[in-house]
Amino acid sequence: MQAADRYNAMVRARQDQQRRLSRPFDESYWERYAHTYRFDPTRSPEASLRELIRRLEMDDEIVEIGGGAGRMGLPLALRARSLRNIEPSAAMREQFRLSVGEHGIGNAEAISSAWPMREPISADVVLTVDVTYFIDDIEPFVRAMHETARRRVMILTWTVPPPNVSSRLFRIAFGEEEHPSPGFKELLPVIWDMGIAPDVLVINEPFSWPEQLPRDDDAAVQFAIEELAAHDHSGAADNIRVHIDELFKRGEVYRPAWRTPAKAMLITWSTE
């Protein structure tokens, strides 16, 4: 089996499991969580964002694929000529437009489209952040990035894909192993098979996300169910409650103890 076939099979196995036990990563999922992806574009850049900025030029036209609410793309737009966010989710596009309006960013737009787009476009830099885990036909996705970029492609990911950091919680809640989403170990062979030799940089930035932590057992169980995006699955909440001392570090707030540590990773190459 070729690298792309293995990659696609992993995505589809995860999708099948999600349909059975939890909410799939579809339009309704992103509608529910879109507001949590809206960050301040004028914030002091975190380490991963700094690495993207380092590779930009002031005259760059940027295309970001699946840029959501502009968490990473809008800070780049402030440092480049323009940004086009190719985003299929209406809820994410709305959050993007709200952020653009709030901060008066005049060189950024959100375009309703899947990727690859029907009509070819071009840009100096083509970027995607935390999207590749969900792509069940990966080779055309990456090839379109390469063919669109006049100068550079950048794929920002993590040493452990965010969909996989709760595999321990998943096993306890559902009584079965989680089918992992593909990460860099599966993505790099796909890129190599395309004849591309990218640079790979591990960034000293641990995976984290702004969140309101629970303060009691009931809230902790609900927090874990939300983390899994679980259906009303029989026994999942009971299983979490039984293992609550193992799953949380208790204090003034309950801190999740199940998440696998991860660091940011940049996969990038020149197309010149």
Side-chain angles (χ1 to χ4, degrees):
M1 183 183 290
Q2 293 183 344
D5 294 332
R6 289 193 295 270
Y7 191 105
N8 298 339
M10 288 181 68
V11 176
R12 291 164 187 162
R14 178 65 180 268
Q15 290 171 341
D16 289 344
Q17 189 180 50
Q18 281 185 299
R19 292 186 189 100
R20 182 164 51 86
L21 298 174
S22 62
R23 287 190 296 271
F25 296 120
D26 58 12
E27 179 72 17
S28 63
Y29 180 94
W30 299 118
E31 182 176 352
R32 180 183 180 94
Y33 295 105
H35 67 283
T36 68
Y37 285 80
R38 186 173 156 196
F39 285 45
D40 181 357
T42 66
R43 69 189 184 274
S44 178
E46 56 271 27
S48 56
L49 182 54
R50 289 198 299 271
E51 291 297 337
L52 300 182
I53 292 169
R54 282 185 58 236
R55 290 161 177 81
L56 286 185
E57 298 176 4
M58 289 181 62
D59 285 338
D60 276 343
E61 296 176 337
I62 305 168
V63 162
E64 183 177 10
I65 302 152
R71 175 174 64 97
M72 302 297 277
L74 288 179
L76 301 182
L78 295 173
R79 298 164 170 87
R81 173 172 292 191
S82 66
L83 168 72
R84 284 171 286 176
N85 174 15
I86 313 303
E87 175 53 63
S89 165
M92 286 290 194
R93 292 195 306 273
E94 177 59 21
Q95 292 296 323
F96 181 90
R97 290 178 183 128
L98 288 171
S99 191
V100 163
E102 178 183 354
H103 296 279
I105 301 173
N107 64 341
E109 63 175 325
I111 298 172
S112 174
S113 177
W115 186 267
M117 301 177 72
R118 290 184 178 181
E119 298 296 328
I121 60 173
S122 65
D124 299 293
V125 173
V126 179
L127 163 72
T128 194
V129 178
D130 290 337
V131 170
T132 51
Y133 331 117
F134 313 115
I135 305 303
D136 63 5
D137 195 5
I138 190 63
E139 193 273 344
F141 184 96
V142 175
R143 187 168 299 282
M145 293 184 70
H146 182 81
E147 293 173 350
T148 298
R150 293 189 291 264
R151 189 169 63 79
R152 179 163 295 278
V153 173
M154 297 192 288
I155 300 175
L156 190 61
T157 181
W158 299 85
T159 54
V160 178
N164 297 349
V165 299
S166 295
S167 58
R168 182 176 158 207
L169 172 63
F170 188 100
R171 182 175 64 252
I172 288 172
F174 297 125
E176 63 183 76
E177 295 294 332
E178 182 179 59
H179 289 298
S181 295
F184 77 94
K185 294 177 183 178
E186 293 77 29
L187 180 59
L188 284 174
V190 174
I191 297 171
W192 293 331
D193 281 356
M194 295 169 59
I196 299 169
D199 296 322
V200 179
L201 175 67
V202 177
I203 304 165
N204 190 23
E205 178 188 333
F207 178 76
S208 64
W209 196 255
E211 58 191 354
Q212 185 173 352
L213 296 175
R215 292 176 177 272
D216 58 48
D217 285 9
D218 290 340
V221 172
Q222 185 59 36
F223 180 95
I225 290 291
E226 285 294 320
E227 175 109 344
L228 295 168
H231 290 321
D232 186 16
H233 183 269
S234 177
D238 291 339
N239 291 339
I240 292 168
R241 191 176 294 277
V242 167
H243 292 273
I244 201 163
D245 289 335
E246 174 186 347
L247 291 171
F248 289 91
K249 296 177 181 177
R250 289 175 169 176
E252 183 178 347
V253 294
Y254 286 42
R255 299 189 180 280
W258 64 76
R259 291 174 181 158
T260 306
K263 287 187 176 182
M265 172 181 282
L266 178 60
I267 300 171
T268 184
W269 63 92
S270 170
T271 60
E272 291 180 310

